Amino acid sequence: MSEVSVVEGGAEDGVPVPDSDENRRQVLYWRLLARLFDPEEQASLESASVAVVEDIGLPVALLDPAASVDSVVQRHPDLAAEFDGLMTPEPDADGERNRAAEVRRAALVSKVLLNVFSTGNGTVTAEQLARWQSDAGWLERALGCQPGDLRGGRGGAGRARAGGGVSPTGTGVGTPAPDLSRLIPEIGPELGSIEAGLVQRMHLREVLADPALASRLTPSMSLIEQLLRDKNNLSGVALANAKALIRRYVDEVTEVLRTQVEKASVGELDRSVPPKRVFRNLDLDRTIWKNLTNWDPEEERLYVDRLYYRHTSRKTTPQRLIVVVDQSGSMVDSMVNCTILASIFAGLPKVDVHLIAYDTQALDLTPWAHDPFETLLRTQLGGGTDGTVAMALAQPKIAEPRNTVVVWISDFYEWRTDELFESMAAIHRSGARFIPVGSVTSSGRGSVNPWFREKFKDLGTPVISGHIKKLVHELKTFLT
């Protein structure tokens, strides 16, 4: 476990002698790894770590997994500044490693990482969740971000400084430590996943009943799924806090999806419509080119007798979009994303959006399609899957097949497969655009019934399965 380095001033030139600071640093990091992968204490590592921490003048409380970073900082206020940017330190001016400073940093880094990534097993109390959220905030600060930035998906990599790193193995003199700023995009989702796991292990209603604690929850897909499943059992303050969390998540995802929709192509220019004669539409290059014959060389002046404007009107045809979403337990992510997406398209001009959710029963959510928040509150997640009940609602809505697109989101694990597929094939043959979607998630992962996948492929309507951007592109191509 020990490491030796060539140190100037040794007893004999070129003879390796132990580097005490390097060994101390490794002791602290090996203890961190041991505690992360095995909750049982390693007596030798624990006693050696205590000796190191005491020797460098840090409180032994840093080695206590039960002590939060907050509690340590409250007793030792001077440490607060050291945690800020702890894992993205500035390189030394002379390029040399300050080994003593690295030992001190190793002790502080170990504290933050152990508190955040070692969450144990069993039921989690509201107090434990609050402590973890506070410790996660300290980790975000150590990475150069604001507390909550990484868990909220707002990145923060731009704030992180290059040059820091944590590695239990030694490096040569002058060798830079890894740049942790490039790991921030991966750390954020991981923190969100850990928080979601803690929420799953605790009594969610206890958290929701406490406005202060509920406000500190980071909205995530797993949390929203739990809230949607349990909403009928909530009331009073707990229900209000649950709705606020759902609203926050919906607003955040809506903003992202709306940007994707706006960036997609929006149809061909309609040159039959005269351009609007306003300054922002003035085509200056074309105006100059068309008026070059009016150039007066003596006065060196161009006389303009006609202004030219850009066309901004685009060809649009009234279209009907019918979105059918499987709301069974395996499709929660797609249910949330597509409900939000449907509301965005419902806000576009000349697009008539209809929304249907189903499990073993079907529910026409069209009256609320413009408001994803209200739509989600009316869903009932779970249960079996019977697409034929949704088809009974969808087929009568296809009045003009050529101007209709049907988006069907499901994993297609049905029990009346032949009957459902035949009705889907009939929609395709009628001239309507039928788009089967296997998963519309942020991760792009999802399973689809192989039988349906092959059938759709043979029909010429392959299943879209992946990132939601794929569906946005398909819909924009057809609707505009």
Side-chain angles (χ1 to χ4, degrees), residues 47-122:
S47 59
S49 297
V50 169
V52 170
V53 168
E54 289 180 334
D55 191 45
I56 60 178
L58 286 174
V60 179
L62 286 173
L63 301 177
D64 181 4
S68 66
V69 178
D70 269 343
S71 66
V72 174
V73 170
Q74 285 172 2
R75 296 179 183 179
H76 307 275
D78 293 343
L79 293 179
E82 292 192 57
F83 280 107
D84 286 330
L86 174 67
M87 300 172 73
T88 56
E90 297 286 359
D92 294 328
D94 57 3
E96 296 292 322
R97 292 172 60 195
N98 186 333
R99 294 174 182 269
E102 287 185 358
V103 177
R104 188 177 183 88
R105 187 161 60 244
L108 299 174
V109 166
S110 295
K111 177 59 179 175
V112 177
L113 293 181
L114 188 60
N115 277 29
V116 172
F117 290 100
S118 180
T119 58
N121 299 306

Side-chain angles (χ1 to χ4, degrees), residues 32-344:
L32 169 64
L33 292 177
R35 292 299 297 264
L36 284 174
F37 293 103
D38 187 353
E40 295 294 328
E41 291 187 358
Q42 301 294 321
S44 58
L45 285 175
E46 292 296 326
S47 59
S49 297
V50 169
V52 170
V53 168
E54 289 180 334
D55 191 45
I56 60 178
L58 286 174
V60 179
L62 286 173
L63 301 177
D64 181 4
S68 66
V69 178
D70 269 343
S71 66
V72 174
V73 170
Q74 285 172 2
R75 296 179 183 179
H76 307 275
D78 293 343
L79 293 179
E82 292 192 57
F83 280 107
D84 286 330
L86 174 67
M87 300 172 73
T88 56
E90 297 286 359
D92 294 328
D94 57 3
E96 296 292 322
R97 292 172 60 195
N98 186 333
R99 294 174 182 269
E102 287 185 358
V103 177
R104 188 177 183 88
R105 187 161 60 244
L108 299 174
V109 166
S110 295
K111 177 59 179 175
V112 177
L113 293 181
L114 188 60
N115 277 29
V116 172
F117 290 100
S118 180
T119 58
N121 299 306
T123 303
V124 175
T125 66
E127 181 182 356
Q128 289 172 320
L129 175 63
R131 196 195 86 169
W132 182 90
Q133 290 171 329
S134 174
D135 287 335
W138 283 105
L139 174 59
E140 289 166 321
R141 290 174 61 170
L143 288 167
C145 305
Q146 293 298 315
D149 273 7
L150 298 184
R151 283 168 287 159
R154 293 181 287 276
R159 302 193 195 106
R161 300 185 298 273
V166 290
S167 171
T169 58
T171 55
V173 174
T175 302
D179 180 2
L180 283 180
S181 63
R182 61 188 175 84
L183 298 179
I184 288 180
E186 286 75 32
I187 294 175
E190 182 63 24
L191 290 179
S193 177
I194 294 174
E195 183 178 41
L198 291 172
V199 171
Q200 289 178 345
R201 289 161 50 192
M202 70 177 302
H203 299 296
L204 183 58
R205 297 174 198 175
E206 179 185 351
V207 179
L208 294 174
D210 184 340
L213 192 55
S215 66
R216 295 174 61 182
L217 287 176
T218 303
S220 62
M221 182 58 67
S222 58
L223 176 59
I224 298 307
E225 177 180 349
Q226 288 191 74
L227 295 176
L228 291 175
R229 290 184 186 279
D230 203 35
K231 64 182 186 296
N232 293 331
N233 299 318
L234 300 175
S235 61
V237 175
L239 180 59
N241 287 329
K243 288 183 176 181
L245 284 166
I246 296 173
R247 173 73 76 180
R248 280 173 55 194
Y249 186 79
V250 166
D251 289 346
E252 291 174 5
V253 177
T254 298
E255 189 62 31
V256 173
L257 295 185
R258 182 177 286 115
T259 300
Q260 293 177 3
V261 171
E262 290 172 351
K263 287 183 178 180
S265 59
V266 291
E268 299 177 356
L269 290 174
D270 188 355
R271 298 192 180 278
S272 65
V273 178
K276 185 176 292 186
R277 297 178 181 274
V278 294
F279 179 76
R280 68 174 179 272
N281 289 341
L282 179 64
D283 190 337
L284 190 59
D285 290 341
R286 189 170 178 226
T287 296
I288 294 174
W289 176 258
K290 290 290 187 179
N291 287 281
L292 281 178
T293 55
N294 299 328
W295 170 256
D296 187 331
E298 294 182 0
E299 296 185 14
E300 295 185 348
R301 180 174 297 180
L302 177 66
Y303 291 91
V304 177
D305 57 18
R306 181 180 176 184
L307 297 174
Y308 291 84
Y309 295 87
R310 299 183 183 89
H311 285 77
T312 57
S313 178
R314 298 179 181 271
K315 294 181 179 179
T316 59
T317 304
Q319 306 282 8
R320 174 163 291 189
L321 169 62
I322 302 173
V323 181
V324 183
V325 187
D326 177 353
Q327 65 175 355
S328 62
S330 59
M331 297 298 294
V332 177
D333 202 339
S334 293
M335 176 75 205
V336 173
N337 278 287
C338 288
T339 296
I340 295 171
L341 187 61
S343 73
I344 294 172

